[in-house]
Amino acid sequence: MSESENSGFIGHLIELRDRIIKALLSVLVIFLSLVYFANDIYAFVANPLVLSLPENATMIATDVTAPFFAPFKLTLFVSLFLAIPFILHQVWGFLAPGLYQHEKRMLMPILLSSIVLFYAGIAFCYFVVMPIILGFFTAVGPTMMTLSPDISSYLAFILKLFFAFGIAFEIPVAIMLLCWSGVTTTQSLRDKRPYIVVGVFVVAMFLTPPDVLSQTLLAVPMLLLFEMGIILAGIYSKKSQQQEMNNE
């Protein structure tokens, strides 16, 4: 490696370090801004469960430190979720100089779409899925049982669901990238649709709690998003072919 190549490589490493530090600082700044409201944030996230609990039932803490650490941990994850646009901006700033102009025009909408879809997945989970799941689970138990969910267990439960739905809603973006890079085609995905349907339910089984209701509520949107991704990828492929023909 020549001296100029070595200096260029070191320069990229320095830039990568600086952008990672900026991304971490963005999470820290948001966290410090929200930590005072940690209990309010937890109360907001726990509201679907509280509304589903039987009369006079409450959440409990089985660990002495749980009343402090559960809201604290949730606030940290919320800060990470809220910082995703800035984190992806740093990723884009690092990758953009090495991209061609047509690649930038392609990737910028995908980057913005990935942010919107991730938040849409979390919102869908909170406003649609959680009330259904929690209402079902709190209603099917034996009548002699007193339901008192642990705040730490509930936190682990909702974080897993938020992450699962946020990632699942990225399916259209993933399909666009796969078709754009030439790894697959829309026709190939259509031909493999039966296998993908089975695979989606298997993935939903691992991403959600071990119950059929949660798996179905995740799998069905994933299948709809898969179909949306095929349609969007098909539209983009036609536009790309037209642009190539015009260029020729």
Side-chain angles (χ1 to χ4, degrees):
M1 182 180 293
S2 64
E3 183 177 349
S4 60
E5 291 176 342
N6 186 51
S7 60
F9 178 71
I10 294 176
H12 285 305
L13 289 179
I14 294 175
E15 182 185 2
L16 178 61
R17 180 204 62 186
D18 292 342
R19 292 193 178 277
I20 291 175
I21 291 175
K22 290 178 181 179
L24 294 176
L25 285 176
S26 67
V27 178
L28 179 61
V29 169
I30 295 175
F31 174 75
L32 293 177
S33 302
L34 296 178
V35 69
Y36 178 79
F37 307 99
N39 290 333
D40 296 325
I41 294 172
Y42 191 95
F44 174 78
V45 174
N47 189 56
L49 175 60
V50 173
L51 294 177
S52 301
L53 289 175
E55 188 177 356
N56 298 325
T58 60
M59 300 181 69
I60 63 171
T62 57
D63 190 346
V64 175
T65 60
F68 171 77
F69 280 109
F72 185 88
K73 181 179 179 181
L74 176 60
T75 304
L76 182 60
F77 276 94
V78 169
S79 302
L80 178 61
F81 290 158
L82 293 178
I84 284 178
F86 188 81
I87 294 173
L88 291 180
H89 173 72
Q90 295 301 316
V91 173
W92 175 257
F94 182 75
L95 297 177
L99 299 176
Y100 294 106
Q101 192 62 36
H102 71 279
E103 292 175 331
K104 292 180 181 180
R105 287 196 299 266
M106 170 64 186
L107 290 179
M108 178 57 75
I110 288 181
L111 184 65
L112 296 176
S113 299
S114 65
I115 297 173
V116 174
L117 286 171
F118 184 81
Y119 288 144
I122 294 178
F124 178 79
C125 178
Y126 179 82
F127 291 106
V128 178
V129 176
M130 286 177 59
I132 296 175
I133 293 178
L134 297 174
F136 173 77
F137 285 136
T138 54
V140 298
T143 56
M144 77 288 294
M145 179 188 68
T146 301
L147 182 63
S148 298
D150 176 62
I151 61 174
S152 297
S153 299
Y154 177 72
L155 176 61
F157 174 78
I158 58 170
L159 287 179
K160 184 176 182 179
L161 281 180
F162 284 165
F163 180 77
F165 277 85
I167 295 299
F169 269 58
E170 299 292 338
I171 289 177
V173 173
I175 292 176
M176 290 281 290
L177 289 174
L178 290 173
C179 293
W180 175 66
S181 61
V183 174
T184 187
T185 62
T186 55
Q187 186 57 47
S188 176
L189 291 174
R190 291 190 184 98
D191 295 338
K192 297 174 182 176
R193 186 180 281 116
Y195 305 100
I196 292 175
V197 171
V198 175
V200 163
F201 276 92
V202 172
V203 171
M205 178 181 64
F206 285 103
L207 291 179
T208 58
D211 65 274
V212 177
L213 183 60
S214 300
Q215 295 165 13
T216 304
L217 288 174
L218 177 59
V220 171
M222 288 175 68
L223 292 174
L224 295 176
L225 290 166
F226 168 75
E227 297 296 335
M228 181 191 300
I230 290 179
I231 294 172
L232 294 175
I235 294 173
Y236 171 75
S237 297
K238 291 180 180 179
K239 288 184 177 180
S240 298
Q241 291 175 0
Q242 291 177 355
Q243 289 178 357
E244 290 178 0
M245 292 175 62
N246 293 333
N247 293 334
E248 292 177 357

